[in-house]
Amino acid sequence: MCQLLAMNCNTPTDICFSFEGFAQRGGLTDQHTDGWGISFFEESACRSFHDTLPAAQSPIAKLIKDYPIKALNVISHIRQATIGAVELKNTQPYQRELWGQQWVFAHNGDLWDYKFTDSSPARPIGTSDSEAVFCDLLNQLRSLNPTTEPDIHSIYNCLKKFSSQARSFGTFNFLLSNGKYIFAHCSTKLCYIVRQAPFHEAHLSDKDISINFSTVTTEDDRVAVIATEPLTDNEEWTHFEKNQLLLFKHGKVLNFE
Amino acid sequence: MCQLLAMNCNTPTDICFSFEGFAQRGGLTDQHTDGWGISFFEESACRSFHDTLPAAQSPIAKLIKDYPIKALNVISHIRQATIGAVELKNTQPYQRELWGQQWVFAHNGDLWDYKFTDSSPARPIGTSDSEAVFCDLLNQLRSLNPTTEPDIHSIYNCLKKFSSQARSFGTFNFLLSNGKYIFAHCSTKLCYIVRQAPFHEAHLSDKDISINFSTVTTEDDRVAVIATEPLTDNEEWTHFEKNQLLLFKHGKVLNFE
């Protein structure tokens, strides 16, 4: 199993505080030691960092904790390998271009006996269930329109239908973004928090570090953080309902259900 | 204009020495200050690092110089912007999946008035001539076979034909890899060196640093380095002929012409 982290904001924000706590779970406070990755969006472009070393020991993870890259949308993943060896090709988040946008995907859970449908153009590079399901998902989205992004309701309905089918193979918690918004689907475990004015102090669950967000924000800022388990121990996180698909845009939650 | 760097080996090798000299050209010994990127292959998977800061100042470039990531194939690019603003989406190398392999592309030169042919599935995210031509090139390759990598001669012939057409728009020096081999095409300026036993000392042109390769290699190692301009001042680099397309595999040069 793995753990997921995402951030969706209305103003470019760095993820250093959340990632500091999250990376602890890659070998210190938890046993997700089989690699990690993080993707930062700048509009529809994206840069990703991956390492097969545990996040708690990786020199690249240290860079991410120290170098404040600001973004509206970020997705991160730490891995405890089940299906697929510990290799770069099986290290999430996965990334593909669709409609002239980068699409980034991270999955938590096992989809036992899931088989890639041999569709195209998106095809798996590695051997994980997660990449196979991502390629199928993207090819389904592309079937809505081969060249141009369709309206958000069509995308939502396509993901909803796809998720209900994929769940029959096992656990399907995922995060998906194209740099404009983040879709988050909960099969078993996922939670989120929206931080906005008045901002308060937050304290990490995994490391004795606090930040007073009121000193680093303006009153118009709004930031949603999504994670497998709450990252702070003095704030109230909202747990997703089972099989819920939420859309996060500009730090707000939109629920089409 | 920009500068290109690639490495192709028969045993996993780090690029720290070559990149140390190359990164100097991103703001110190030359004026390629509009971002940079580097892609390291591990089999058909790939991890890329990009920054819009000059390579000589970037904290990510410092990590690459200090953290010896070993790979059989590496492609790097430093940018002096002409077509397309200084933004992440216009920062090379570009990357797309084809046939279940990552394909990485870096281009030096300007293709004035080049227009994307509006083909699919690969579509540009940014606004550079380089990404537009890369998408067209990949879609051409995919037309050889939509799902499976064809034989290398078919790929070579497709690239040869594509290059002769693209050159009519301007300068088209490029590097292209799928993790198994590197194609290098010279329209105006590109050179390479093959290092093999007996190994000698090499001295960078752009920084007063030397390395004695005989102390860090075995006698079976073979490494080809490709660059816009020679990176060392005490070795003999081979200059490409105009319009030459070479294939590098296991540190060897294969010329199908």
Side-chain angles (χ1 to χ4, degrees):
Chain A
M1 300 292 277
C2 309
Q3 289 217 9
L4 304 174
L5 168 66
M7 186 180 72
N8 167 266
C9 323
N10 68 350
T11 188
T13 305
D14 77 66
I15 199 168
C16 294
F17 176 73
S18 295
F19 187 73
E20 179 80 48
F22 187 64
Q24 295 289 107
R25 299 177 185 176
L28 289 175
T29 57
D30 212 332
Q31 54 196 3
H32 303 88
T33 56
D34 301 323
W36 65 280
I38 190 166
S39 300
F40 297 88
F41 276 96
E42 291 174 29
E43 296 179 19
S44 297
C46 175
R47 55 178 159 181
S48 297
F49 300 83
H50 293 100
D51 208 353
T52 48
L53 290 177
Q57 297 162 22
S58 159
I60 304 175
K62 184 174 184 314
L63 175 89
I64 300 303
K65 285 185 263 186
D66 295 343
Y67 183 40
I69 297 175
K70 295 198 172 191
L72 292 180
N73 291 285
V74 180
I75 287 181
S76 183
H77 182 273
I78 50 176
R79 182 165 187 234
Q80 187 181 357
T82 47
I83 303 172
V86 180
E87 293 179 71
L88 182 64
K89 67 184 178 186
N90 294 328
T91 306
Q92 303 189 43
Y94 299 111
Q95 188 172 325
R96 292 285 190 288
E97 176 263 315
L98 170 63
W99 304 319
Q101 307 165 345
Q102 287 291 4
W103 284 76
V104 165
F105 175 84
H107 167 228
N108 152 247
D110 291 314
L111 299 172
W112 301 105
D113 301 324
Y114 188 87
K115 292 275 176 291
F116 178 58
T117 59
D118 203 23
S119 58
S120 74
R123 299 178 70 80
I125 295 167
T127 52
S128 75
D129 53 334
S130 306
E131 192 187 14
V133 80
F134 174 46
C135 289
D136 277 333
L137 183 158
L138 270 198
N139 291 333
Q140 281 286 315
L141 285 178
R142 192 187 297 266
S143 71
L144 297 173
N145 187 315
T147 56
T148 313
E149 182 186 2
D151 71 276
I152 191 75
H153 285 86
S154 302
I155 293 176
Y156 182 90
N157 290 334
C158 180
L159 292 176
K160 189 81 187 157
K161 185 176 167 195
F162 185 90
S163 302
S164 72
Q165 291 164 348
R167 284 195 305 261
S168 66
F169 292 88
T171 305
F172 194 47
N173 304 304
F174 76 78
L175 302 168
L176 176 73
S177 182
N178 65 347
K180 295 201 282 191
Y181 41 73
I182 292 179
F183 281 102
H185 177 264
C186 174
S187 165
T188 55
K189 196 193 276 192
L190 206 56
C191 60
Y192 70 91
I193 189 167
V194 173
R195 297 193 183 108
Q196 56 194 342
F199 289 96
H200 300 290
E201 184 170 279
H203 179 264
L204 290 179
S205 311
D206 296 83
K207 198 170 182 179
D208 187 16
I209 293 180
S210 296
I211 188 169
N212 190 337
F213 285 114
S214 68
T215 63
V216 291
T217 49
T218 72
E219 66 175 18
D220 295 329
D221 293 359
R222 197 171 48 239
V223 177
V225 178
I226 311 158
T228 299
E229 292 182 359
L231 287 163
T232 56
D233 55 17
N234 66 334
E235 297 178 297
E236 195 159 332
W237 291 67
T238 304
H239 290 270
F240 280 61
E241 293 167 27
K242 188 172 158 58
N243 303 337
Q244 193 173 30
L245 176 68
L246 295 181
L247 174 66
F248 293 79
K249 191 171 182 182
H250 304 314
K252 268 190 189 162
V253 187
L254 307 174
N255 186 352
F256 288 153
E257 291 179 49
Chain B
M1 302 291 278
C2 310
Q3 289 216 9
L4 304 175
L5 167 66
M7 187 179 71
N8 167 265
C9 326
N10 69 347
T11 189
T13 305
D14 76 65
I15 200 170
C16 294
F17 176 73
S18 295
F19 188 72
E20 179 81 48
F22 187 64
Q24 295 288 107
R25 298 177 185 176
L28 289 174
T29 57
D30 212 333
Q31 56 197 1
H32 304 87
T33 56
D34 300 323
W36 66 279
I38 190 166
S39 300
F40 297 87
F41 276 96
E42 291 174 28
E43 297 178 16
S44 297
C46 175
R47 54 177 159 182
S48 297
F49 299 83
H50 292 100
D51 208 353
T52 49
L53 290 177
Q57 297 163 22
S58 159
I60 305 174
K62 184 173 183 314
L63 174 87
I64 301 302
K65 285 185 265 185
D66 295 343
Y67 183 40
I69 299 175
K70 295 197 172 192
L72 293 181
N73 291 284
V74 180
I75 287 180
S76 183
H77 181 273
I78 50 176
R79 182 165 188 234
Q80 186 180 358
T82 48
I83 304 171
V86 180
E87 293 178 71
L88 183 63
K89 66 183 178 186
N90 294 327
T91 304
Q92 302 190 43
Y94 298 113
Q95 186 172 328
R96 293 285 190 288
E97 176 262 316
L98 169 63
W99 303 320
Q101 307 165 343
Q102 287 290 3
W103 284 76
V104 164
F105 175 84
H107 168 228
N108 151 248
D110 292 313
L111 298 172
W112 300 107
D113 301 324
Y114 188 87
K115 291 276 177 291
F116 178 58
T117 60
D118 202 22
S119 57
S120 75
R123 299 179 69 82
I125 295 166
T127 52
S128 76
D129 54 335
S130 305
E131 192 187 14
V133 80
F134 173 46
C135 291
D136 277 333
L137 183 158
L138 270 198
N139 291 333
Q140 282 286 314
L141 284 178
R142 191 187 296 265
S143 70
L144 297 174
N145 187 314
T147 56
T148 314
E149 184 187 2
D151 70 277
I152 191 74
H153 286 86
S154 302
I155 294 176
Y156 183 90
N157 290 334
C158 180
L159 292 176
K160 189 82 187 156
K161 185 175 167 195
F162 185 90
S163 301
S164 72
Q165 291 163 348
R167 285 196 304 263
S168 66
F169 292 89
T171 306
F172 194 47
N173 304 303
F174 75 77
L175 302 168
L176 176 73
S177 183
N178 66 346
K180 295 201 279 190
Y181 41 73
I182 292 179
F183 281 102
H185 178 262
C186 174
S187 166
T188 56
K189 195 192 278 192
L190 206 56
C191 60
Y192 70 90
I193 189 167
V194 173
R195 297 192 183 111
Q196 54 194 342
F199 288 97
H200 300 289
E201 185 170 280
H203 179 264
L204 289 178
S205 310
D206 296 83
K207 198 170 183 179
D208 187 15
I209 293 181
S210 296
I211 187 168
N212 189 338
F213 284 114
S214 68
T215 64
V216 291
T217 49
T218 72
E219 65 176 18
D220 295 329
D221 293 359
R222 197 170 49 238
V223 177
V225 178
I226 312 159
T228 300
E229 292 182 0
L231 287 164
T232 56
D233 55 16
N234 67 333
E235 297 177 298
E236 194 159 330
W237 290 67
T238 304
H239 290 269
F240 280 62
E241 293 167 26
K242 187 172 156 63
N243 302 337
Q244 192 174 30
L245 177 67
L246 295 181
L247 174 65
F248 294 79
K249 190 170 183 183
H250 303 316
K252 269 190 190 160
V253 187
L254 307 175
N255 186 353
F256 288 152
E257 289 180 48

